[in-house]
Structures are given as structure tokens and as C-alpha cells.
Amino acid sequence: MLELPMQDWHDRKSMINVELSTEQSLALELLRSGENVFLTGGAGSGKSFLIRQFMREIDSKEMPILASTGAAAVLLGGRTFHSFFGLGIMEGGPDAAFAKASKDNKLMARLRKVEGVIIDEISMIPGQALMIAEALAQRARDSRLPWGGMRIIVVGDFAQLPPVTHSGPRDWSFLNSVWEQSGFQNVMLSHNQRVSENLFLDILSDVRSGKVTEPVREFLNDHVQTHDEDHPGTRLFPRKLNADNFNQKKLAEIDDDEVVIDSIYFGSEKHIDMLMKSAPVPVKLTLKLGCRVMFLQNDPQRRWVNGTRGVITDITVDKITVKKTNGREVEVDKTSFAIQDAEGNVMASVLQFPLTLAYATTIHKSQGATLDDLWCDLSALWEPGHAYVALSRLRSSEGLHLIGWNPRSIIVDPKVLRFYEGLDIRPS
């Protein structure tokens, strides 16, 4: 995590605000206010960017950031929501999970110690998990106040990826009584920082709301074309197997020797096994000169962002040179990805280049990335928000290539629509 040097508060504040839009600056003031906050907005509105700015001002030990999944925690450099609150897989149901966690002295001490938490990708946190976490905070802090007086900031967009629900209706966290009890101040970022094209913005807004309007039909039909497998755009697949197979197929077509770069792991065997399942890098990164790659994280020096694509022009033992698409050549060093335990201690880490083959990825893994070109088949999607996440990766509609689409793939849960329609948004 990036930390700012200690300096005068006003200098620090002005330095941060210079990069923010008006609505982001107002949202940042609300984050600084000490209230419980729900920060939301569509894809590309700058939610993650804003949280990064806020975290530069606070002590991450007093207010840690929690991710919805292990993979997200590795990329955030944080902990998962479930591990921090001692929930595990919630075996035996809510009552059993609460009873077990409430006997964990380390957990109780941890919940007493922090000022609060930031929960990222709140849409993927089930309501039952949120409810148990709040009850545990009350128990630990011996207080009937919401969250035992802890401060809670939740970030995300319920119109994107839903919580994993094994049976019955989706367990959206906003449907649980703890949501209203938390007293969130709601702030919506409405300006898309990624897209400036008015028609495309209108289409994304309709798809986010599950509306298959006539303009949406015309727009999507206009972008349907026969799949050109030699086109450099990234393919987005709903399933991992399809993405992996396409990447390997395109790599095999390059007439050059494979270069296999082993990931270097540190930590106990148990935690390394966990890291292998959640890290964005493979155990062995297989590349070739001339292959297309995509960056997996934002560069502190701003040479690339998550989703930047390019072609490998040189590979050495400790550096890879990438010619960015429509950009300059950059040298890439290996970087460390890590998992933390519930206390925030690094339990395992892996050293590898922050690159992956860019021919294909999954819709889930593309969330947070910005793409210039993509190919996608929207004919048989099944999850709410899937189509919206895919389409909203793009900077411009010029980069959209649809192999096909079906109105039934543009899905939104009606409960999400009702939630946003009734949301009391802070003036901005």
C-alpha cells in the first residue's frame, strides 16, 4: 500500500484534490467525515481510485480494507472480509458461525482495536455474512450500537457482480436489516471517468438497468461481426476454461520458443497452497517473444494500469520489455503478490511479473480493467451484471466486437433496481 510522507495537512489535502473531479472531491469529504458511508456508482466512475486517495490519509491498521474474495485481497494488498471477521465458510449456518467466531479471543481483540473497516466490492458480500460480522463487532466491543460503534465504509455497485448464493434467492447485503441499521450516508459517483462518448454512455446506463431498449438493440446489432481470431482485441469469456484454451491456442501459433518463468513462493506450505488458488499469476508463466500480454495491476510510476495491453519485445532473467499498444516500450520488473492473515500479517507471497496472456480472460477477472478492444459473446450469460461488466470495460464503443448477443443475457435483479430507485443520495 502506498503511504504518503508526513506533511502539512493542507498541503496534503490540496495535493490529493488536484486529481479529483468535483463529485469525487465532495465524496472524499464525506469519507473524511467520520460517518458510515456507502460509496457507489457505475463502472468507470472512479470508486477504487477515490478509495486509494482516502487510504493515503488514514492509518490502514486502524481502518483496514477488506476484499470480498481471496483473489481481490491479493490485488488489494489486504485481507478478506470473511477472514477478518473469522467467518470461514460459515459452516453450519449463521448461528454456528457466530457461536464459533465469538469464542475466538484474537478476533474479539482485533474488533476492539480497529476504528473501523472499508469493505470493497460489497455487492459480492452476502447479507448473512454482513449480519454475523455486525453481531460479532457488537459482542467484541460490548455495545449495542450498530457495529459496536465501529465505522463502516462499503464500496461497490450492486448492478455488477452478485453474491455467491448456493440456493434460494440472492442474498444481497442491502436486503438484510443490518444495512438500514448501519445508517449509511449514500454517495453516488455519476460521472464515467473512462468513457466520454454520449451514445455509449446511454447504452451502458440502459444495460446496467437491464433495459433492452431499441437504441440498445440497434447498438449491439451494429457491433455483431464474424469472429476474427487474428484480431488483437481481448476476448472475454464467462468461463475460465474457455479463456485458458484460447490463450494457449494463440500462444501456440507464434513460431518462437516458449519461455517459462517459475513463480517464486515464500511462506508455509498451507498458505502457499491458498495463494496459488487466489493469486492472479500462474505457478509457471509461459510466454513467447511477440505474444500479447496484459498488466495485472496499476504501476506506482503510472507507466501502466490494470488492463494495459502490449506485445513482449524482450525477455531476460529479471526484466521483460513490453511495447504498449499505442504507447512506448516499458521495462517490467517482477513484483510481489501476497496473502495476509486476519491480523494483517503476510502469510505467503509470490514473486512474478505482473503480466498475463492478453488474448482472453473471464468477465469476472476483467472487472476493474480498462480495455481498448474486446471481443465477447453475449448470447448465453446467466448472472446479473455479467453483460454490463463486459461492455463497461471499454473506453470507446469503437473497440467493441460482438460475436453474438441475446436479450436474455442482459440481466439485472429487480431488487437491485428497487434499491437504487429508493436510495437517498447525498447532494453533490
Side-chain angles (χ1 to χ4, degrees):
M1 185 179 302
L2 295 175
E3 298 287 349
L4 289 181
M6 291 300 295
Q7 55 187 289
D8 180 79
W9 167 257
H10 297 290
D11 290 343
R12 180 169 51 173
K13 183 175 173 183
S14 63
M15 180 183 69
I16 292 168
N17 279 349
V18 73
E19 300 179 3
L20 302 182
S21 66
T22 300
E23 70 173 6
Q24 285 176 326
S25 296
L26 291 169
L28 183 57
E29 290 302 321
L30 186 58
L31 292 173
R32 291 169 174 157
S33 70
E35 298 293 331
N36 288 351
V37 176
F38 170 41
L39 175 65
T40 190
S45 60
K47 299 182 296 295
S48 297
F49 173 77
L50 188 62
I51 287 298
R52 284 198 300 272
Q53 305 312 304
F54 175 62
M55 290 190 69
R56 290 181 175 187
E57 303 180 10
I58 63 175
D59 185 342
S60 61
K61 292 181 180 179
E62 293 184 2
M63 196 151 192
I65 186 166
L66 309 179
S68 57
T69 66
V74 170
L75 287 172
L76 276 174
R79 291 166 264 183
T80 67
F81 174 87
H82 282 71
S83 70
F84 183 83
F85 283 100
L87 302 182
I89 59 172
M90 293 175 55
E91 188 175 2
D95 291 341
F98 175 81
K100 180 180 179 181
S102 62
K103 297 173 184 175
D104 184 338
N105 292 332
K106 284 187 176 181
L107 168 63
M108 295 292 105
R110 182 164 66 247
L111 295 180
R112 286 191 293 270
K113 183 180 178 181
V114 296
E115 176 190 338
V117 294
I118 301 169
I119 306 171
D120 197 29
E121 299 296 358
I122 185 62
S123 70
M124 298 179 71
I125 302 293
Q128 280 196 344
L130 201 72
M131 176 185 69
I132 300 169
E134 197 257 357
L136 288 168
Q138 288 183 329
R139 168 71 65 88
R141 300 165 78 95
D142 192 23
S143 170
R144 298 307 299 169
L145 290 172
W147 296 91
M150 278 174 53
R151 188 184 180 207
I152 307 296
I153 295 174
V154 295
V155 186
D157 179 15
F158 288 104
Q160 296 190 46
L161 299 179
V164 175
T165 306
H166 298 293
S167 62
R170 286 186 177 83
D171 187 19
W172 297 105
S173 57
F174 62 78
L175 293 175
N176 197 282
S177 59
V178 72
W179 186 273
E180 186 173 351
Q181 293 163 13
S182 298
F184 292 118
Q185 301 292 306
N186 306 308
V187 57
M188 170 86 77
L189 298 179
S190 59
H191 181 66
N192 194 310
Q193 305 289 330
R194 182 180 295 151
V195 178
S196 58
E197 183 184 347
N198 287 333
L199 173 60
F200 192 27
L201 287 170
D202 290 342
I203 298 302
L204 289 176
S205 177
D206 283 346
V207 172
R208 182 176 182 270
S209 301
K211 299 175 183 175
V212 186
T213 59
E214 192 57 36
V216 168
R217 290 178 180 274
E218 291 180 4
F219 176 87
L220 297 180
N221 285 333
D222 286 346
H223 286 84
V224 173
Q225 53 195 278
T226 302
H227 188 195
D228 177 3
E229 293 197 356
D230 293 326
H231 188 280
T234 299
R235 276 72 182 165
L236 297 187
F237 290 100
R239 300 187 187 279
K240 182 176 183 296
L241 179 63
N242 301 114
D244 290 344
N245 287 344
F246 191 82
N247 275 326
Q248 293 309 311
K249 176 184 177 183
K250 298 306 292 183
L251 188 67
E253 291 175 1
I254 298 175
D255 186 17
D256 206 284
D257 293 333
E258 286 187 348
V259 179
V260 179
I261 305 161
D262 291 324
S263 293
I264 303 171
Y265 294 89
F266 305 90
S268 68
E269 183 177 349
K270 170 187 173 183
H271 292 102
I272 287 174
D273 287 342
M274 293 170 59
L275 182 59
M276 285 179 175
K277 294 175 183 177
S278 55
V281 293
V283 175
K284 293 180 181 291
L285 179 62
T286 304
L287 305 170
K288 291 182 179 181
L289 285 176
C291 75
R292 297 187 180 277
V293 292
M294 182 167 62
F295 287 88
L296 295 169
Q297 61 179 194
N298 297 327
D299 175 36
Q301 300 177 41
R302 301 186 180 182
R303 294 169 295 173
W304 58 78
V305 297
N306 179 15
T308 295
R309 298 168 67 251
V311 173
I312 290 182
T313 58
D314 191 37
I315 304 175
T316 64
V317 174
D318 57 358
K319 286 189 187 298
I320 291 178
T321 305
V322 176
K323 175 68 168 67
K324 296 189 297 180
T325 303
N326 301 321
R328 63 189 177 108
E329 279 191 320
V330 291
E331 287 189 335
V332 186
D333 296 308
K334 289 183 178 180
T335 189
S336 179
F337 299 89
I339 56 169
Q340 301 178 8
D341 66 8
E343 299 293 336
N345 303 308
V346 172
M347 302 305 293
S349 61
V350 56
L351 194 64
Q352 183 56 276
F353 293 102
L355 300 168
T356 187
L357 291 173
Y359 301 102
T361 189
T362 64
I363 295 174
H364 270 260
K365 284 188 176 181
S366 75
Q367 192 173 36
T370 299
L371 302 175
D372 292 312
D373 282 281
L374 73 81
W375 289 78
C376 192
D377 188 348
L378 304 181
S379 298
L381 304 183
W382 64 93
E383 270 195 346
H386 239 169
Y388 174 64
V389 170
L391 295 173
S392 61
R393 298 308 94 207
L394 283 167
R395 286 192 176 93
S396 165
S397 64
E398 292 181 4
L400 177 61
H401 313 276
L402 289 179
I403 300 168
W405 77 280
N406 189 309
R408 290 192 296 272
S409 290
I410 298 177
I411 308 165
V412 66
D413 191 321
K415 296 184 180 71
V416 170
L417 288 179
R418 289 195 293 272
F419 169 72
Y420 275 110
E421 287 168 359
L423 202 62
D424 182 18
I425 302 295
R426 282 288 298 266
S428 60

